[in-house]
Amino acid sequence: MSTVILTGLPVPGSPLEDELRSLGFDVRAVPAPEDAPAALAGVPAGQRVAVVDSGFVGHPHALRLALTDPRFDACAVTGAFAVQPGARAALERAAALTPDGEGPYADRLAAAVEASGTAVQRPELGTLVAAVPSGAAERAEALAAVAAVDDEAVRLRSAVKARDGFFTTFFISPYSRYIARWCARRGLTPNQVTTASLLTALLAAGCAATGERWGYVTAGVLLLVSFVLDCTDGQLARYSLQYSTMGAWLDATFDRVKEYSFYAGLALGAARDGDDVWALALGSMILMTCRHVVDFSFNEANHDATANTSPTAALSDRLDSVGWTVWVRRMIILPIGERWAMIAVLTATTTPRIVFYALLIGCAFGALYTTAGRVLRSVTRRAKRTDRAAQALADLADSGPLAELVAKAASRPRPLPRLPFAVLGAALVVGVAWYEPFGSTTVIYAALIYALLSGVAVGIPPRGPLDWLLPPLFRAAEYTTVLVLAVKADVPGALPAAFGLVAAVAYHHYDTVYRIRGGSGAPPRWLVRATGGHEGRVLLTVVLAAVLAREAFPVALTAVAVFVALVVLVESIRFWVSAGAPAVHDEGEPA
């Protein structure tokens, strides 16, 4: 239960108390601000507590934004101020001093708390009203302003993601927001809708795996339904302000589980028709994952960078002022909405092979476009990379024990540009694996050199302008080596086993990203060491290929995949179930 302290004499006919109770607050009224400290002392320390002026006039959704958003320790609008337990001490100190000044008591408290060093979120209200009139005339004017704006319409509009793709914006959101409201009114949570989306996508993958035309058509329809639910869960979270750390994690990781499971379903369906497309399915997953890691690494590298004077960034800002270019630039990178729509339509009307060809071509173009733009921004900008950004890149590198040992030695000499070492190592291990016959011991030497060079590359904190490319380079080297060896093995089960291994490792890498995004830091080092790090897994894979018979290689890959999946999943679930990270919700560009 949350508690609100209503300060001042009640206003006859005001619906304020009923509105606060409808938001889940226990209302305790005090006649004057001087009585607020005593009332605050009577509220249990673990509760959210708010102070609201009894003369408040405004929309219920304005109060909801100020008083119930779980993402912020302290939040305020005119006449209303709420804190979570993390900012409770700051509120009590401010109340004990009875802050002087003019204006509503809640506003003075918020200003005092902010002055003490606690961040106070002030949500954008747009056309919503939040005011504390000083007289009858002002009150009548404020009430008229409230009546002139449809609170529910604003709430529905704000439920839609601030930055989304063309397909989602114009073909999904116009009706999915109403589905979100329907869910909210029936007490459904965003996590329940997210789970429904996952189950629908898995059912779609199962239909695709039949290899029958009816299965492909049904799979395409179900995939679109899954995407509608995927949009609905975020809109439900925004509509009802049900944000949570676990919800953000479920939404992000389930997207990958759904998409990659559907790839596997398509590959199974094609195999039933005598067409082996597992290499294409694995290639599509590798390309998509590496593209995402490029996005994550670049964003983390520049999360809190300053002095961005890049001409490329300036050009991008100018293009954003021309409306149609914004939509074109969002569409050509094939974001999740456009991508899933393309997959669904092509699945229903063509073959799995054509689906994967289209995916590979479209995603390759999008990856080249975004990566080239970010490289240009990086080489032309003058910005200082912070310690936090450097640590995030080091964590995303996923370096294991071998690279750690090399890094300790490599950090002593005078620092040199480290990106060329990573490029050379990645090219060497992939190139030798492709050139040499399956089982060649030469690939083991290439993997050892890769481990050495990757350790050199992370020997010092990654502060160079292009050092954000290190994590995606390591991902590409590891995943592609597994793909090449599975293709070279040329035995039944090798490529599906490789798909499973890359999927398990990719989950670990996505989990790392979302922990960092949620402000919780990277996974514990024991987990990285237990899974070998990227260089350890590469070395293990090439050793298995060299010492085992071809027929035993798929079994070994499957065993490694199961081990990695179990270790990573158990730790991931343990962490997210018990995470103390603040609630987050992604409003950024679609994945």
Side-chain angles (χ1 to χ4, degrees):
M1 189 69 174
S2 301
T3 300
V4 63
I5 309 300
L6 198 60
T7 61
L9 298 175
V11 177
S14 172
L16 182 58
E17 287 195 39
D18 290 337
E19 290 173 351
L20 291 171
R21 290 192 179 95
S22 72
L23 295 177
F25 284 91
D26 175 31
V27 180
R28 302 183 185 182
V30 295
E34 293 77 13
D35 302 308
L40 284 171
V43 178
Q47 284 190 9
R48 175 192 296 269
V49 63
V51 178
V52 178
D53 194 290
S54 62
F56 178 89
V57 173
H59 290 96
H61 193 53
L63 283 173
R64 183 180 289 106
L65 290 170
L67 306 185
T68 67
D69 197 326
R71 295 173 295 175
F72 311 108
D73 280 341
C75 197
V77 296
T78 300
F81 177 47
V83 300
Q84 296 200 71
R88 179 67 177 274
L91 173 63
E92 291 177 348
R93 287 194 299 269
L97 297 174
T98 312
D100 297 325
E102 299 182 353
Y105 177 65
D107 294 4
R108 286 182 279 144
L109 273 181
V113 168
E114 195 165 31
S116 70
T118 299
V120 177
Q121 172 70 13
R122 301 180 188 277
E124 291 287 340
L125 297 181
T127 57
L128 295 176
V129 177
V132 180
S134 58
E138 286 189 12
R139 184 173 183 83
E141 184 178 345
L143 288 171
V146 170
V149 177
D150 186 343
D151 177 276
E152 180 61 18
V154 173
R155 190 178 175 190
L156 276 171
R157 284 198 304 271
S158 63
V160 176
K161 200 172 186 178
R163 185 174 171 83
D164 228 328
F166 180 86
F167 178 77
T168 305
T169 299
F170 295 102
F171 292 91
I172 303 297
S173 293
Y175 58 88
S176 61
R177 70 185 75 184
Y178 296 100
I179 300 176
R181 180 173 67 180
W182 183 90
C183 293
R185 290 177 175 177
R186 283 153 183 80
L188 298 177
T189 67
N191 290 352
Q192 290 171 333
V193 178
T194 301
T195 302
S197 175
L198 172 66
L199 295 176
T200 305
L202 293 178
L203 182 59
C207 290
T210 63
E212 303 286 342
R213 177 51 52 192
W214 71 264
Y216 291 142
V217 173
T218 305
V221 173
L222 288 174
L223 191 64
L224 288 177
V225 172
S226 175
F227 183 66
V228 172
L229 293 174
D230 182 59
C231 295
T232 300
D233 62 3
Q235 291 166 356
L236 175 58
R238 285 180 285 272
Y239 181 85
S240 55
L241 298 186
Q242 295 184 75
Y243 301 112
S244 68
T245 304
M246 177 175 283
W249 168 69
L250 287 176
D251 185 47
T253 55
F254 279 11
D255 279 350
R256 304 288 78 80
V257 172
K258 289 181 286 189
E259 187 166 3
Y260 298 160
S261 296
F262 195 79
Y263 292 177
L266 285 174
L268 288 170
R272 288 178 177 271
D273 292 332
D275 188 12
D276 187 353
V277 297
W278 275 107
L280 296 178
L282 180 51
S284 298
M285 182 167 66
I286 291 172
L287 179 58
M288 187 59 56
T289 303
C290 291
R291 171 184 160 181
H292 285 147
V293 177
V294 167
D295 297 341
F296 299 145
S297 295
F298 179 80
N299 291 336
E300 287 303 324
N302 298 282
H303 181 271
D304 44 12
T306 57
N308 182 5
T309 57
S310 165
T312 309
L315 174 62
S316 179
D317 292 340
R318 286 197 297 272
L319 288 174
D320 282 344
S321 65
V322 183
W324 65 270
T325 67
V326 175
W327 294 117
V328 170
R329 291 162 64 208
R330 290 187 191 179
M331 290 174 66
I332 62 176
I333 64 172
L334 209 63
I336 189 169
E338 280 74 0
R339 191 167 69 249
W340 282 31
M342 181 187 76
I343 294 172
V345 172
L346 291 179
T347 297
T349 58
T350 64
T351 65
R353 181 172 289 274
I354 293 176
V355 174
F356 287 124
Y357 282 153
L359 264 176
L360 287 167
I361 293 170
C363 292
F365 177 81
L368 288 173
Y369 173 79
T370 55
T371 304
R374 286 163 180 171
V375 168
L376 287 174
R377 289 190 185 201
S378 299
V379 298
T380 57
R381 75 183 301 167
R382 298 291 182 269
K384 182 180 179 181
R385 186 153 295 153
T386 63
D387 292 339
R388 178 203 174 279
Q391 183 59 51
L393 290 180
D395 292 334
L396 288 173
D398 192 34
S399 299
L402 292 176
E404 282 182 335
L405 289 174
V406 176
K408 289 179 181 178
S411 62
R412 295 192 184 102
R414 182 177 177 179
L416 296 172
R418 304 304 172 101
L419 186 60
F421 291 99
V423 173
L424 178 60
L428 180 66
V429 71
V430 173
V432 172
W434 179 257
Y435 180 78
E436 291 291 320
F438 182 81
S440 171
T441 56
T442 305
V443 188
I444 298 178
Y445 298 122
L448 287 170
I449 295 173
Y450 169 71
L452 174 67
L453 293 176
S454 63
V456 172
V458 296
I460 58 172
R463 298 182 185 276
L466 294 177
D467 283 354
W468 55 269
L469 285 169
L470 290 173
L473 270 172
F474 295 150
R475 299 298 82 77
E478 178 183 359
Y479 300 163
T480 307
T481 299
V482 174
L483 169 61
V484 169
L485 291 175
V487 171
K488 287 278 192 174
D490 194 25
V491 293
L495 280 166
F499 188 96
L501 175 57
V502 172
V505 175
Y507 176 87
H508 165 55
H509 291 142
Y510 280 113
D511 185 57
T512 300
V513 166
Y514 292 112
R515 290 195 196 210
I516 294 173
R517 276 188 169 186
S520 304
R525 286 303 302 169
W526 72 260
L527 179 64
V528 177
R529 294 188 179 108
T531 55
H534 66 93
E535 80 289 351
R537 289 188 297 269
V538 167
L539 183 58
L540 174 62
T541 304
V542 299
V543 168
L544 291 174
V547 302
L548 296 176
R550 289 176 185 266
E551 292 73 17
F553 186 59
V555 178
L557 284 184
T558 302
V560 175
V562 170
F563 171 78
V564 172
L566 286 176
V567 172
V568 170
L569 278 173
V570 168
E571 162 57 21
S572 177
I573 294 171
R574 181 210 62 79
F575 170 80
W576 288 104
V577 169
S578 61
V584 294
H585 193 77
D586 182 22
E587 290 289 347
E589 197 153 323

